[in-house]
Amino acid sequence: MGNTYVYDFDADAPGGRELLGGKGIGLAEMTRMGVSVPAGFTITTDACRAYMAARELPAGLAEEVDEHVRKLEATTGKRFGSSDDPLLVSVRSGAAVSMPGMMDTILNLGLNDDATAGLAARTGNPRFAYDSYRRLIQMFGEVVDGIDPHSFESALGTLKSERGVKQDTDLTAEDLQQLVATFKEIYRDETGRDFAGNARDQLLHAVRAVFESWDTPRAQVYRRANDIPDDLGTAVNVVQMVFGNKGDSSGTGVCFTRDPSTGEDILYGEFLVNAQGEDVVAGIRTPEPITLMRERLPEAFEQLTATLDRLESHYRDMQDVEFTVEEGKLYLLQTRTGKRTAGAALRIAVEMAGQGVISREEAVARIDAAQLDQLLHPMLDPTAEVEAAAQGLNASPGAASGEIVLDADTAEARGKAGDDVILVRWETTPDDIHGLIQARGVLTAHGGMTSHAAVVARGMGKPCVAGCEGLSIDTRAGTVTIGEHELKAGDVITIDGGTGRVIVGPVRLVPPAIDENFGTILGWADDLRRLRVRANADTPEDAAKAREFGAEGIGLCRTEHMFMAQDRLPVVQEMILARDESGRRAALDRLLPMQQSDFEGIFEAMAGFPVTIRLLDPPLHEFLPSAEEATSDAMRRRIAELHESNPMLGTRGCRLGLQWPEIYEMQVRAIVRAAAAVQARTGEAPLVEIMHPLVGFREELARLRELTERVAAEEPSVEYLCGTMIELPRACIRADEIAEVADFCSFGTNDLTQTALGFSRDDAEGKFLTYYLEHGILERNPFEVLDQDGVGDLMRIAIERGRGVKPDLKLGICGEHGGEPRSVAFCHALGLDYVSCSPYRVPLARLAAAQAALADEGVTALAVGG
Ligand code: PEP
Ligand code: MG
């Protein structure tokens, strides 16, 4: 027996979301719940994958589709392709993971000249019949034959101006009949063929086109940006058409069970009378707020709110639905977990836990750690005087200033070059995705809160102002009018996605305040996680900020950063350039009190929490003046002597400390004195950890431990631990020996990535690594997301060997990966004691650590799809 590729909505399929896609599984579940859903069937993602492999419909699929069409005919009492009372269907894509607007949909399949006449006669509504037909020709032309949508839109625009009307709904049946003729001509001109009148052919072409749309460049870009595997494929849903364009008792809309921007528990959405779904989604007509539906279609509104309540309690999460009302009767066309801003996600999770709908564990598991970042995004400085030049919809929060860019390609190029740009468009389409990714924000003239630009920007955590009426664009001239202002591409504007304001010129931005829900969720996360979270901080100010974000100590204080300060650099240079020990000591004596006071400030800010201070580890060249800056021949010679071709692999870290022990001696002394001073002042002993960098051999650390103990013994007695970074492959392999002389180890995965992969930290990212990523040789930047297979395996070896000789060896990570959610999960699995990351990422790490612990218990976020 061959494969089964097609399942009716009410059938038991042998798979869930992966097989049926998000839309398919939603339709099947709603059908089972008895929610009013049009009849139909789903063609599985298996079929899509088979199609992708062979670029043709898999054997048997067409016949299976025929069979299910026959069932649909029996259910609906209509015939597909009939000219009397034709069954019409839509073909809708739906992958397992939601990719809003990325793939194609075709409505009204089954219409041809005769069927349209039949439909007109049968419904007594020729306007509706011809409107449906012209939509089919347009969508089919665009999706199946790749005809430029503007050809159709401009024909529609011309007809409207000839008739002197504004809205599509003002066109008469005769107008639309004429439009059908025009559209058919466009179709013939563009394809050299007549529009296909055979219903079965239409359907199979449409199925194929949806499969093809999985592989369009825009879908590929979207998948890469959202980490969606390429081999998932999309399912195809064939659904009996219900009509929102049958007159004033019909309509269509999209809505959320809670406000996706704020999370407030209110009905939120948009709706259009006498329209089909794509009018709302594409932002072609500006829809009305959903609340007006109560007056316009009161009965359907009642049915809608009751259904939404059921759906939300069934899925136990905020739902995003599409619906159509056909002559007063409500049909749900889709339900899925609604995308939301980070702020809304927190509020919904906290409130649902409060309402007893979900547990605290689920509430924590549902927050997207990467999305939390949104809350840490800038806003307009509230004290700045701003005058809005125009006002649009507050479609996605956050604020951004940047130069106006009018097309996605330029936005991509300029954004990649590091420029701040705002993409300004009449409306965005999925083809603009690459520009959206690189722009700071997006501003559109058309479209509502559920338009493409709004949905995509919200998902990316970028500011978006949509539907800005005061905006008009002349793409060819490169000019833009915003309210009263005439601007051009390259001029700076500011958008405030939180309020919808558009401002000419730059505005000061400030980091946003974190609200109560943020604290609540992170508090719950703290109760659930096993990993401790520390911060990398080098100054008392950063340490204080880290505490505010909930850091439980400092995992890395880079002492060289203290040396970079303007008043200190000359002293440091003097120390490095000194010809002998006494010259070095003279400079170090001056540095000691400066370091000591920094350490005191940090210990105080971190009272009660451990502070790991790493001794000096700069590649020397970072401190050296250039040869041109030398003021004497002697200095020039010394600079030349110290020059290295490969400073990253040169006189760095403990190599420096071993050669010139007086440097580390000064630092140990400053640390111990600072600890003693703070203890005397506050009565509380700081938890001091002294860390030696770039150790590869046991002997290096043994000697530095001896140095540390010797110097500490000369100073007031304080408790401290002495440990090392593990950031060289050799240190991983020989971690057993190193552990014998270490109280703790912290993985320096920046250097470990550099040395394990042989990728220069300084150069790879701007050069070959970009090529590697663009060409799929590597999937991710290993400096951003830990290379678990390579670097991660070295870590695993180090942990096994280190804890093999010292079972209670304290282990952490302080490379950049310590704040990257996937890498944090990996560190949890490895059994590290803590992660340490930059203060702004501490909240993400706290959440990611809790989620990793929850995943061990089988608690994960509900799949977000549709
Ligand atoms: C590391 O190498 O991962 C590390 C934390 O040290 P640095 O980045 O200062 O070299
Ligand atoms: Mg390092």
Side-chain angles (χ1 to χ4, degrees):
M1 215 183 91
N3 285 321
T4 303
Y5 288 122
V6 183
Y7 294 92
D8 288 329
F9 294 159
D10 57 5
D12 271 332
R17 175 177 298 275
E18 301 72 34
L19 186 69
L20 301 176
K23 192 173 282 160
I25 193 82
L27 286 164
E29 271 189 58
M30 287 196 288
T31 303
R32 242 171 279 145
M33 284 169 72
V35 168
S36 168
V37 168
F41 54 85
T42 302
I43 305 173
T44 64
T45 55
D46 279 347
C48 179
R49 282 186 293 268
Y51 176 86
M52 286 300 157
R55 289 287 160 182
E56 59 184 48
L57 295 181
L61 177 60
E63 293 69 28
E64 243 189 286
V65 168
D66 290 342
E67 196 185 303
H68 287 267
V69 168
R70 277 196 293 277
K71 278 207 215 164
L72 198 52
E73 288 175 338
T75 316
T76 59
K78 296 168 192 269
R79 291 264 320 283
F80 191 50
S82 148
S83 53
D84 176 19
D85 184 16
L87 166 68
L88 304 187
V89 298
S90 65
V91 159
R92 296 161 187 269
S93 58
V97 183
S98 167
M99 295 172 56
M102 285 298 131
M103 287 174 304
D104 290 321
T105 292
I106 304 182
L107 307 180
N108 306 334
L109 289 157
L111 282 177
N112 53 30
D113 292 355
D114 289 346
T116 306
L119 186 67
R122 177 59 84 146
T123 58
N125 190 343
R127 195 199 170 282
F128 150 72
Y130 286 99
D131 188 41
S132 304
Y133 193 20
R134 68 98 187 165
R135 287 168 190 273
L136 169 64
I137 301 167
Q138 172 166 2
M139 271 190 268
F140 192 92
E142 286 172 29
V143 172
V144 176
D145 297 289
I147 298 173
D148 183 350
H150 288 109
S151 322
F152 296 111
E153 271 153 30
S154 69
L156 175 61
T158 309
L159 182 67
K160 280 199 286 191
S161 59
E162 275 172 21
R163 297 290 182 269
V165 300
K166 276 218 153 94
Q167 302 281 351
D168 299 2
T169 43
D170 296 333
L171 294 171
T172 63
E174 290 71 35
D175 294 336
L176 290 164
Q177 201 164 355
Q178 184 184 327
L179 195 61
V180 163
T182 314
F183 277 15
K184 282 185 4 196
E185 266 169 47
I186 294 173
Y187 187 91
R188 197 176 315 113
D189 288 349
E190 296 281 341
T191 62
R193 279 179 278 114
D194 281 332
F195 179 70
N198 178 294
R200 181 177 190 264
D201 287 352
Q202 287 177 1
L203 179 56
L204 293 178
H205 276 302
V207 169
R208 202 172 289 133
V210 172
F211 286 159
E212 285 286 340
S213 71
W214 175 256
D215 248 3
T216 55
R218 71 186 190 213
Q220 290 175 12
V221 169
Y222 186 90
R223 285 200 291 274
R224 223 170 296 136
N226 290 280
D227 257 327
I228 301 171
D230 275 329
D231 58 1
L232 286 184
T234 180
V236 179
N237 301 289
V238 178
V239 192
Q240 177 202 359
M241 282 299 302
V242 287
F243 295 96
N245 57 337
K246 269 191 171 171
D248 288 344
S249 62
S250 303
T252 186
V254 286
C255 77
F256 293 81
T257 55
R258 302 188 184 215
D259 182 331
S261 284
T262 65
E264 196 184 346
D265 193 358
I266 49 164
L267 189 59
Y268 177 97
E270 293 165 331
F271 148 87
L272 271 173
V273 168
N274 196 11
Q276 281 198 333
E278 83 275 13
D279 295 338
V280 179
V281 177
I284 290 166
R285 276 166 59 194
T286 302
E288 297 183 322
I290 193 83
T291 40
L292 285 187
M293 189 179 157
R294 191 196 301 271
E295 289 149 36
R296 300 215 173 208
L297 295 170
E299 272 171 36
F301 185 76
E302 289 291 305
Q303 293 167 29
L304 177 67
T305 48
T307 306
L308 292 176
D309 284 346
R310 278 188 72 196
L311 289 173
E312 196 183 272
S313 4
H314 175 80
Y315 287 104
R316 302 188 312 127
D317 203 353
M318 186 255 268
Q319 295 296 295
D320 162 6
V321 309
E322 279 179 27
F323 65 91
T324 284
V325 180
E326 181 179 289
E327 297 180 323
K329 176 156 172 52
L330 175 81
Y331 293 92
L332 272 283
L333 303 182
Q334 164 164 319
T335 188
R336 62 184 171 188
T337 304
K339 285 200 189 297
R340 60 204 80 179
T341 62
L346 290 172
R347 178 165 177 178
I348 291 169
V350 169
E351 290 185 358
M352 284 195 163
Q355 293 158 355
V357 180
I358 57 174
S359 65
R360 287 186 174 188
E361 284 79 1
E362 284 170 300
V364 170
R366 276 186 193 181
I367 307 298
D368 175 0
Q371 206 196 10
L372 262 199
D373 225 11
Q374 267 187 21
L375 294 175
L376 309 166
H377 278 175
M379 298 189 312
L380 296 188
D381 180 345
T383 66
E385 294 231 332
V386 295
E387 207 197 309
Q391 175 76 39
L393 299 170
N394 53 336
S396 176
S401 292
E403 290 179 37
I404 296 172
V405 165
L406 299 177
D407 67 282
D409 289 347
T410 312
E412 181 186 35
R414 300 269 325 266
K416 275 193 172 161
D419 297 337
D420 293 340
V421 297
I422 308 283
L423 183 59
V424 180
R425 304 281 280 162
W426 283 109
E427 68 263 302
T428 66
T429 69
D431 285 330
D432 293 318
I433 183 79
H434 57 299
L436 277 166
I437 291 173
Q438 296 297 336
R440 292 256 152 225
V442 56
L443 168 64
T444 66
H446 295 157
M449 300 291 272
T450 48
S451 65
H452 173 261
V455 171
V456 172
R458 220 177 279 138
M460 289 179 186
K462 283 194 189 202
C464 172
V465 174
C468 178
E469 292 200 357
L471 167 69
S472 83
I473 304 168
D474 184 337
T475 319
R476 231 173 271 139
T479 57
V480 169
T481 310
I482 297 178
E484 316 278 49
H485 301 258
E486 294 293 334
L487 303 172
K488 56 186 184 322
D491 290 343
V492 174
I493 55 167
T494 300
I495 59 169
D496 181 359
T499 62
R501 283 175 300 175
V502 183
I503 299 135
V504 173
V507 180
R508 266 194 318 277
L509 303 178
V510 291
I514 291 165
D515 73 1
E516 224 177 282
N517 298 316
F518 186 92
T520 305
I521 287 283
L522 286 173
W524 295 347
D526 291 343
D527 294 339
L528 296 167
R529 68 190 155 87
R530 181 191 60 71
L531 269 179
R532 307 266 104 200
V533 177
R534 303 194 195 179
N536 295 354
D538 312 320
T539 63
E541 296 74 49
D542 280 359
K545 186 172 304 142
R547 281 294 302 131
E548 274 171 37
F549 284 131
E552 304 161 290
I554 290 183
L556 175 64
C557 169
R558 292 179 166 103
T559 53
E560 57 274 14
H561 287 180
M562 302 173 173
F563 283 178
M564 295 283 187
Q566 252 183 348
D567 53 335
R568 301 179 188 185
L569 190 58
V571 191
V572 176
Q573 290 180 340
E574 199 180 308
M575 185 263 291
I576 295 173
L577 293 168
R579 298 221 62 84
D580 54 24
E581 189 185 325
S582 74
R584 266 193 300 278
R585 282 195 187 277
L588 287 166
D589 284 347
R590 281 157 58 211
L591 287 172
L592 189 146
M594 304 183 196
Q595 286 236 295
Q596 182 180 331
S597 83
D598 286 348
F599 294 145
E600 285 180 27
I602 292 173
F603 288 145
E604 270 173 309
M606 278 290 156
F609 294 104
V611 175
T612 309
I613 297 178
R614 184 183 69 189
L615 303 189
L616 198 65
D617 174 28
L620 271 190
H621 68 294
E622 284 183 14
F623 288 122
L624 284 179
S626 65
E628 296 83 65
E629 287 170 84
T631 49
S632 68
D633 281 349
M635 189 168 167
R636 205 165 298 125
R637 261 199 312 281
R638 186 76 182 129
I639 293 172
E641 275 165 28
L642 290 170
H643 173 81
E644 293 178 329
S645 309
N646 243 331
M648 271 294 182
L649 301 178
T651 312
R652 276 183 68 189
C654 66
R655 304 162 196 171
L656 190 78
L658 286 162
Q659 264 193 92
W660 297 344
E662 52 281 4
I663 301 179
Y664 280 14
E665 285 170 19
M666 178 280 281
Q667 293 198 292
V668 171
R669 224 178 279 290
I671 294 169
V672 172
R673 285 184 192 173
V678 169
Q679 183 168 359
R681 222 170 18 243
T682 65
E684 197 178 346
L687 304 175
V688 182
E689 300 180 348
I690 299 176
M691 182 158 75
H692 296 279
L694 224 70
V695 164
F697 298 85
R698 178 187 192 280
E699 189 57 21
E700 289 170 326
L701 186 61
R703 290 189 187 199
L704 290 171
R705 186 175 187 109
E706 189 276 321
L707 173 152
T708 307
E709 286 170 358
R710 173 169 49 75
V711 174
E714 292 165 15
E715 297 293 332
S717 155
V718 299
E719 297 274 323
Y720 66 91
L721 299 179
C722 178
T724 182
M725 310 235 356
I726 299 280
E727 49 187 344
L728 296 173
R730 190 183 198 284
C732 294
I733 306 288
R734 309 304 288 185
D736 43 357
E737 294 170 0
I738 290 172
E740 286 167 8
V741 282
D743 300 326
F744 67 90
C745 295
S746 175
F747 286 100
T749 45
N750 303 332
D751 274 308
L752 191 56
T753 299
Q754 167 168 261
T755 49
L757 276 62
F759 283 9
S760 161
R761 279 170 73 170
D762 290 343
D763 299 318
E765 282 161 294
K767 303 224 163 57
F768 65 89
L769 186 51
T770 313
Y771 178 91
Y772 269 36
L773 294 169
E774 276 171 5
H775 292 80
I777 298 170
L778 285 184
E779 255 175 57
R780 301 198 175 84
N781 176 350
F783 290 108
E784 190 185 323
V785 182
L786 192 80
D787 161 36
Q788 295 184 10
D789 298 341
V791 174
D793 226 31
L794 283 168
M795 291 170 72
R796 205 189 318 272
I797 291 169
I799 294 165
E800 268 166 34
R801 297 190 180 172
R803 287 211 171 127
V805 298
K806 201 175 261 182
D808 58 349
L809 183 67
K810 185 150 132 179
L811 290 170
I813 177 175
C814 60
E816 284 308 302
H817 307 94
E820 193 284 316
R822 278 164 290 198
S823 311
V824 171
F826 182 71
C827 291
H828 168 88
L830 281 181
L832 294 189
D833 295 301
Y834 67 87
V835 294
S836 188
C837 55
S838 72
Y840 273 94
R841 294 174 93 189
V842 165
L844 309 192
R846 287 162 67 194
L847 184 69
Q851 291 177 340
L854 285 171
D856 288 348
E857 308 292 315
V859 182
T860 53
L862 289 182
V864 176

